[in-house]
Short mmCIF file of all heavy atoms in Angstrom, two decimals:
data_model
loop_
_atom_site.label_atom_id
_atom_site.label_comp_id
_atom_site.label_asym_id
_atom_site.label_seq_id
_atom_site.Cartn_x
_atom_site.Cartn_y
_atom_site.Cartn_z
N VAL A 110 -12.93 6.00 0.26
CA VAL A 110 -14.20 5.29 0.46
C VAL A 110 -14.93 5.84 1.69
O VAL A 110 -16.10 6.21 1.63
CB VAL A 110 -13.95 3.76 0.60
CG1 VAL A 110 -15.19 3.03 1.11
CG2 VAL A 110 -13.51 3.19 -0.74
N LEU A 111 -14.20 5.91 2.81
CA LEU A 111 -14.86 6.32 4.07
C LEU A 111 -15.43 7.73 3.96
O LEU A 111 -16.55 7.99 4.39
CB LEU A 111 -13.87 6.25 5.24
CG LEU A 111 -13.45 4.83 5.64
CD1 LEU A 111 -12.43 4.88 6.78
CD2 LEU A 111 -14.65 3.99 6.07
N HIS A 112 -14.67 8.65 3.37
CA HIS A 112 -15.17 10.02 3.28
C HIS A 112 -16.30 10.14 2.25
O HIS A 112 -17.18 11.00 2.40
CB HIS A 112 -14.02 10.99 2.98
CG HIS A 112 -13.07 11.12 4.15
ND1 HIS A 112 -11.88 11.81 4.08
CD2 HIS A 112 -13.14 10.65 5.42
CE1 HIS A 112 -11.26 11.73 5.27
NE2 HIS A 112 -12.01 11.03 6.09
N SER A 113 -16.31 9.29 1.24
CA SER A 113 -17.45 9.28 0.31
C SER A 113 -18.70 8.83 1.06
O SER A 113 -19.79 9.38 0.87
CB SER A 113 -17.20 8.33 -0.87
OG SER A 113 -16.14 8.79 -1.65
N MET A 114 -18.53 7.81 1.89
CA MET A 114 -19.66 7.30 2.68
C MET A 114 -20.16 8.40 3.63
O MET A 114 -21.37 8.61 3.77
CB MET A 114 -19.23 6.08 3.51
CG MET A 114 -18.92 4.86 2.67
SD MET A 114 -20.46 4.11 2.09
CE MET A 114 -19.85 2.76 1.10
N GLN A 115 -19.20 9.09 4.27
CA GLN A 115 -19.60 10.14 5.22
C GLN A 115 -20.34 11.28 4.52
O GLN A 115 -21.28 11.85 5.05
CB GLN A 115 -18.37 10.65 5.98
CG GLN A 115 -17.90 9.64 7.03
CD GLN A 115 -16.46 9.88 7.48
OE1 GLN A 115 -15.90 10.95 7.26
NE2 GLN A 115 -15.87 8.87 8.12
N ALA A 116 -19.89 11.59 3.29
CA ALA A 116 -20.58 12.64 2.53
C ALA A 116 -22.03 12.21 2.26
O ALA A 116 -22.95 13.03 2.33
CB ALA A 116 -19.84 12.90 1.22
N LEU A 117 -22.22 10.92 1.97
CA LEU A 117 -23.59 10.44 1.72
C LEU A 117 -24.43 10.44 3.00
O LEU A 117 -25.63 10.69 2.95
CB LEU A 117 -23.54 9.04 1.10
CG LEU A 117 -23.04 9.01 -0.35
CD1 LEU A 117 -22.72 7.58 -0.78
CD2 LEU A 117 -24.09 9.61 -1.30
N GLU A 118 -23.77 10.17 4.13
CA GLU A 118 -24.52 10.22 5.41
C GLU A 118 -25.12 11.61 5.60
O GLU A 118 -26.24 11.75 6.09
CB GLU A 118 -23.59 9.88 6.58
CG GLU A 118 -23.35 8.37 6.72
CD GLU A 118 -22.39 8.03 7.86
OE1 GLU A 118 -21.26 8.56 7.90
OE2 GLU A 118 -22.77 7.21 8.70
N LYS A 119 -24.35 12.63 5.21
CA LYS A 119 -24.86 14.01 5.35
C LYS A 119 -26.06 14.26 4.44
O LYS A 119 -26.81 15.20 4.64
CB LYS A 119 -23.76 15.02 5.03
CG LYS A 119 -22.70 15.07 6.11
CD LYS A 119 -21.76 16.24 5.91
CE LYS A 119 -20.56 16.10 6.83
NZ LYS A 119 -19.28 16.15 6.14
N GLN A 120 -26.19 13.40 3.40
CA GLN A 120 -27.33 13.58 2.49
C GLN A 120 -28.47 12.61 2.82
O GLN A 120 -29.33 12.33 1.99
CB GLN A 120 -26.89 13.33 1.05
CG GLN A 120 -25.89 14.35 0.54
CD GLN A 120 -25.41 13.98 -0.87
OE1 GLN A 120 -26.19 13.59 -1.71
NE2 GLN A 120 -24.12 14.12 -1.10
N GLY A 121 -28.44 12.04 4.02
CA GLY A 121 -29.57 11.22 4.45
C GLY A 121 -29.39 9.72 4.26
O GLY A 121 -30.31 8.95 4.52
N PHE A 122 -28.23 9.28 3.80
CA PHE A 122 -27.99 7.84 3.69
C PHE A 122 -27.55 7.30 5.05
O PHE A 122 -27.00 8.05 5.87
CB PHE A 122 -26.90 7.54 2.65
CG PHE A 122 -27.37 7.73 1.23
CD1 PHE A 122 -27.43 8.99 0.66
CD2 PHE A 122 -27.77 6.64 0.48
CE1 PHE A 122 -27.88 9.17 -0.64
CE2 PHE A 122 -28.22 6.80 -0.83
CZ PHE A 122 -28.27 8.07 -1.38
N GLU A 123 -27.75 6.00 5.26
CA GLU A 123 -27.30 5.37 6.50
C GLU A 123 -26.20 4.38 6.13
O GLU A 123 -26.34 3.63 5.15
CB GLU A 123 -28.49 4.62 7.12
CG GLU A 123 -28.35 4.39 8.60
CD GLU A 123 -29.48 3.53 9.13
OE1 GLU A 123 -30.64 3.72 8.66
OE2 GLU A 123 -29.21 2.67 9.95
N VAL A 124 -25.12 4.38 6.89
CA VAL A 124 -23.98 3.51 6.55
C VAL A 124 -23.67 2.58 7.72
O VAL A 124 -23.56 3.04 8.86
CB VAL A 124 -22.72 4.35 6.20
CG1 VAL A 124 -21.56 3.43 5.81
CG2 VAL A 124 -23.01 5.35 5.07
N THR A 125 -23.49 1.29 7.42
CA THR A 125 -23.01 0.34 8.44
C THR A 125 -21.52 0.11 8.17
O THR A 125 -21.13 -0.20 7.04
CB THR A 125 -23.76 -1.01 8.33
OG1 THR A 125 -25.14 -0.77 8.58
CG2 THR A 125 -23.23 -2.03 9.32
N TYR A 126 -20.70 0.30 9.22
CA TYR A 126 -19.25 0.09 9.10
C TYR A 126 -18.92 -1.26 9.74
O TYR A 126 -18.96 -1.39 10.97
CB TYR A 126 -18.49 1.22 9.79
CG TYR A 126 -18.74 2.57 9.15
CD1 TYR A 126 -19.79 3.38 9.57
CD2 TYR A 126 -17.96 3.02 8.09
CE1 TYR A 126 -20.06 4.61 8.96
CE2 TYR A 126 -18.22 4.25 7.47
CZ TYR A 126 -19.27 5.03 7.92
OH TYR A 126 -19.53 6.23 7.30
N LEU A 127 -18.62 -2.27 8.93
CA LEU A 127 -18.35 -3.60 9.49
C LEU A 127 -17.02 -3.59 10.22
O LEU A 127 -16.01 -3.06 9.70
CB LEU A 127 -18.29 -4.65 8.37
CG LEU A 127 -19.56 -4.86 7.54
CD1 LEU A 127 -19.30 -5.89 6.44
CD2 LEU A 127 -20.71 -5.32 8.44
N LYS A 128 -16.99 -4.22 11.39
CA LYS A 128 -15.72 -4.36 12.12
C LYS A 128 -14.88 -5.44 11.45
O LYS A 128 -15.41 -6.30 10.74
CB LYS A 128 -16.01 -4.77 13.56
CG LYS A 128 -16.70 -3.70 14.38
CD LYS A 128 -16.41 -3.96 15.87
CE LYS A 128 -16.88 -2.80 16.71
NZ LYS A 128 -18.31 -2.85 17.00
N VAL A 129 -13.58 -5.40 11.69
CA VAL A 129 -12.71 -6.47 11.17
C VAL A 129 -12.09 -7.20 12.36
O VAL A 129 -12.09 -6.67 13.47
CB VAL A 129 -11.60 -5.90 10.25
CG1 VAL A 129 -12.20 -5.32 8.98
CG2 VAL A 129 -10.74 -4.86 10.98
N ASP A 130 -11.52 -8.38 12.11
CA ASP A 130 -10.90 -9.11 13.22
C ASP A 130 -9.47 -8.62 13.45
O ASP A 130 -9.02 -7.66 12.81
CB ASP A 130 -10.99 -10.63 12.99
CG ASP A 130 -10.09 -11.13 11.87
OD1 ASP A 130 -9.25 -10.35 11.35
OD2 ASP A 130 -10.21 -12.32 11.50
N ALA A 131 -8.75 -9.29 14.34
CA ALA A 131 -7.41 -8.82 14.73
C ALA A 131 -6.42 -8.83 13.57
O ALA A 131 -5.41 -8.12 13.60
CB ALA A 131 -6.88 -9.70 15.87
N ASP A 132 -6.71 -9.64 12.53
CA ASP A 132 -5.84 -9.68 11.36
C ASP A 132 -6.30 -8.72 10.26
O ASP A 132 -5.67 -8.62 9.21
CB ASP A 132 -5.80 -11.10 10.78
CG ASP A 132 -5.14 -12.08 11.75
OD1 ASP A 132 -4.21 -11.67 12.47
OD2 ASP A 132 -5.56 -13.26 11.78
N GLY A 133 -7.47 -8.09 10.48
CA GLY A 133 -7.97 -7.14 9.49
C GLY A 133 -8.97 -7.73 8.52
O GLY A 133 -9.29 -7.09 7.51
N LEU A 134 -9.49 -8.94 8.82
CA LEU A 134 -10.43 -9.57 7.90
C LEU A 134 -11.88 -9.23 8.23
O LEU A 134 -12.26 -9.22 9.41
CB LEU A 134 -10.29 -11.10 7.96
CG LEU A 134 -9.09 -11.71 7.25
CD1 LEU A 134 -9.05 -13.22 7.50
CD2 LEU A 134 -9.14 -11.43 5.75
N VAL A 135 -12.67 -8.99 7.18
CA VAL A 135 -14.12 -8.83 7.33
C VAL A 135 -14.73 -10.23 7.42
O VAL A 135 -14.33 -11.14 6.68
CB VAL A 135 -14.70 -8.12 6.08
CG1 VAL A 135 -16.22 -8.14 6.10
CG2 VAL A 135 -14.19 -6.69 5.99
N ASP A 136 -15.67 -10.42 8.33
CA ASP A 136 -16.34 -11.71 8.48
C ASP A 136 -17.53 -11.75 7.50
O ASP A 136 -18.39 -10.87 7.53
CB ASP A 136 -16.83 -11.84 9.93
CG ASP A 136 -17.41 -13.21 10.23
OD1 ASP A 136 -17.95 -13.84 9.30
OD2 ASP A 136 -17.33 -13.62 11.40
N THR A 137 -17.56 -12.77 6.64
CA THR A 137 -18.62 -12.85 5.63
C THR A 137 -20.01 -12.92 6.29
O THR A 137 -20.98 -12.38 5.76
CB THR A 137 -18.44 -14.07 4.71
OG1 THR A 137 -18.23 -15.21 5.54
CG2 THR A 137 -17.27 -13.90 3.78
N GLU A 138 -20.08 -13.56 7.45
CA GLU A 138 -21.39 -13.66 8.14
C GLU A 138 -21.83 -12.30 8.66
O GLU A 138 -23.02 -12.01 8.74
CB GLU A 138 -21.35 -14.70 9.27
CG GLU A 138 -21.27 -16.13 8.75
CD GLU A 138 -22.28 -16.40 7.61
OE1 GLU A 138 -23.48 -16.15 7.80
OE2 GLU A 138 -21.84 -16.84 6.52
N ASP A 139 -20.87 -11.45 9.03
CA ASP A 139 -21.21 -10.08 9.46
C ASP A 139 -21.85 -9.33 8.30
O ASP A 139 -22.79 -8.56 8.48
CB ASP A 139 -19.97 -9.30 9.91
CG ASP A 139 -19.47 -9.76 11.27
OD1 ASP A 139 -20.15 -10.57 11.92
OD2 ASP A 139 -18.37 -9.31 11.68
N LEU A 140 -21.31 -9.55 7.10
CA LEU A 140 -21.89 -8.86 5.93
C LEU A 140 -23.31 -9.35 5.72
O LEU A 140 -24.24 -8.57 5.54
CB LEU A 140 -21.04 -9.09 4.67
CG LEU A 140 -21.70 -8.55 3.40
CD1 LEU A 140 -21.86 -7.04 3.46
CD2 LEU A 140 -20.91 -8.93 2.15
N ARG A 141 -23.47 -10.68 5.74
CA ARG A 141 -24.80 -11.26 5.51
C ARG A 141 -25.81 -10.67 6.50
O ARG A 141 -26.92 -10.27 6.13
CB ARG A 141 -24.73 -12.78 5.68
CG ARG A 141 -25.81 -13.53 4.94
CD ARG A 141 -25.75 -15.01 5.27
NE ARG A 141 -24.61 -15.70 4.72
CZ ARG A 141 -24.52 -16.09 3.44
NH1 ARG A 141 -25.50 -15.84 2.61
NH2 ARG A 141 -23.44 -16.73 3.01
N ALA A 142 -25.38 -10.56 7.77
CA ALA A 142 -26.30 -10.08 8.81
C ALA A 142 -26.61 -8.59 8.66
O ALA A 142 -27.66 -8.12 9.08
CB ALA A 142 -25.70 -10.36 10.19
N ALA A 143 -25.68 -7.85 8.05
CA ALA A 143 -25.87 -6.39 7.96
C ALA A 143 -26.77 -5.99 6.80
O ALA A 143 -27.31 -4.88 6.78
CB ALA A 143 -24.50 -5.71 7.82
N ILE A 144 -26.93 -6.89 5.81
CA ILE A 144 -27.74 -6.53 4.62
C ILE A 144 -29.22 -6.43 5.01
O ILE A 144 -29.75 -7.31 5.69
CB ILE A 144 -27.52 -7.54 3.48
CG1 ILE A 144 -26.07 -7.44 2.98
CG2 ILE A 144 -28.50 -7.30 2.33
CD1 ILE A 144 -25.70 -8.41 1.89
N ARG A 145 -29.85 -5.32 4.59
CA ARG A 145 -31.27 -5.09 4.91
C ARG A 145 -32.04 -4.95 3.59
O ARG A 145 -31.42 -4.80 2.52
CB ARG A 145 -31.43 -3.78 5.70
CG ARG A 145 -30.44 -3.63 6.83
CD ARG A 145 -30.73 -2.44 7.73
NE ARG A 145 -31.05 -1.18 7.09
CZ ARG A 145 -30.81 0.02 7.63
NH1 ARG A 145 -30.22 0.11 8.82
NH2 ARG A 145 -31.15 1.12 7.01
N PRO A 146 -33.35 -4.93 3.66
CA PRO A 146 -34.12 -4.76 2.41
C PRO A 146 -33.78 -3.45 1.70
O PRO A 146 -33.89 -3.36 0.47
CB PRO A 146 -35.58 -4.76 2.88
CG PRO A 146 -35.56 -5.46 4.20
CD PRO A 146 -34.23 -5.20 4.82
N ASP A 147 -33.36 -2.41 2.48
CA ASP A 147 -33.07 -1.12 1.83
C ASP A 147 -31.57 -0.93 1.53
O ASP A 147 -31.14 0.16 1.17
CB ASP A 147 -33.58 0.05 2.69
CG ASP A 147 -32.94 0.09 4.08
OD1 ASP A 147 -32.40 -0.95 4.52
OD2 ASP A 147 -32.97 1.16 4.72
N THR A 148 -30.76 -2.01 1.65
CA THR A 148 -29.33 -1.90 1.32
C THR A 148 -29.17 -1.89 -0.20
O THR A 148 -29.73 -2.75 -0.89
CB THR A 148 -28.54 -3.10 1.90
OG1 THR A 148 -28.83 -3.21 3.28
CG2 THR A 148 -27.05 -2.91 1.70
N THR A 149 -28.39 -0.94 -0.70
CA THR A 149 -28.23 -0.88 -2.16
C THR A 149 -26.78 -1.08 -2.60
O THR A 149 -26.54 -1.39 -3.76
CB THR A 149 -28.70 0.49 -2.69
OG1 THR A 149 -28.02 1.51 -1.97
CG2 THR A 149 -30.21 0.64 -2.54
N LEU A 150 -25.82 -0.87 -1.69
CA LEU A 150 -24.42 -0.97 -2.12
C LEU A 150 -23.54 -1.43 -0.95
O LEU A 150 -23.71 -0.98 0.18
CB LEU A 150 -23.90 0.39 -2.60
CG LEU A 150 -22.43 0.42 -3.03
CD1 LEU A 150 -22.24 -0.24 -4.39
CD2 LEU A 150 -21.88 1.84 -3.09
N VAL A 151 -22.59 -2.33 -1.30
CA VAL A 151 -21.56 -2.75 -0.34
C VAL A 151 -20.22 -2.36 -0.96
O VAL A 151 -20.01 -2.54 -2.16
CB VAL A 151 -21.61 -4.28 -0.11
CG1 VAL A 151 -20.43 -4.76 0.71
CG2 VAL A 151 -22.93 -4.68 0.56
N SER A 152 -19.32 -1.78 -0.16
CA SER A 152 -17.99 -1.43 -0.66
C SER A 152 -16.93 -1.98 0.28
O SER A 152 -16.83 -1.54 1.44
CB SER A 152 -17.85 0.09 -0.79
OG SER A 152 -16.54 0.42 -1.20
N ILE A 153 -16.17 -2.95 -0.18
CA ILE A 153 -15.10 -3.55 0.63
C ILE A 153 -13.83 -3.58 -0.23
O ILE A 153 -13.87 -4.02 -1.38
CB ILE A 153 -15.44 -5.01 1.06
CG1 ILE A 153 -16.79 -5.09 1.79
CG2 ILE A 153 -14.31 -5.61 1.90
CD1 ILE A 153 -16.83 -4.58 3.20
N MET A 154 -12.72 -3.16 0.35
CA MET A 154 -11.47 -3.11 -0.41
C MET A 154 -10.89 -4.51 -0.63
O MET A 154 -11.12 -5.42 0.17
CB MET A 154 -10.45 -2.22 0.29
CG MET A 154 -9.85 -2.79 1.54
SD MET A 154 -9.19 -1.51 2.67
CE MET A 154 -8.23 -0.47 1.61
N TYR A 155 -10.12 -4.65 -1.71
CA TYR A 155 -9.49 -5.95 -1.98
C TYR A 155 -8.35 -6.20 -0.99
O TYR A 155 -8.31 -7.22 -0.31
CB TYR A 155 -8.93 -5.96 -3.41
CG TYR A 155 -8.81 -7.34 -3.99
CD1 TYR A 155 -9.58 -7.73 -5.07
CD2 TYR A 155 -7.93 -8.26 -3.45
CE1 TYR A 155 -9.49 -9.00 -5.61
CE2 TYR A 155 -7.82 -9.53 -3.96
CZ TYR A 155 -8.61 -9.89 -5.04
OH TYR A 155 -8.51 -11.15 -5.55
N ALA A 156 -7.43 -5.24 -0.92
CA ALA A 156 -6.27 -5.41 -0.03
C ALA A 156 -6.02 -4.08 0.66
O ALA A 156 -6.07 -3.03 0.02
CB ALA A 156 -5.05 -5.81 -0.84
#
Side-chain angles (χ1 to χ4, degrees):
V110 167
L111 291 178
H112 291 172
S113 295
M114 292 284 179
Q115 286 161 16
L117 288 167
E118 281 178 305
K119 288 191 191 125
Q120 295 176 42
F122 286 81
E123 202 186 321
V124 181
T125 298
Y126 297 89
L127 298 177
K128 292 204 170 81
V129 293
D130 70 9
D132 294 326
L134 284 176
V135 171
D136 187 330
T137 49
E138 289 314 306
D139 286 352
L140 173 63
R141 204 186 290 282
I144 294 178
R145 314 189 314 208
D147 60 340
T148 307
T149 54
L150 179 75
V151 172
S152 176
I153 305 286
M154 72 203 312
Y155 205 115

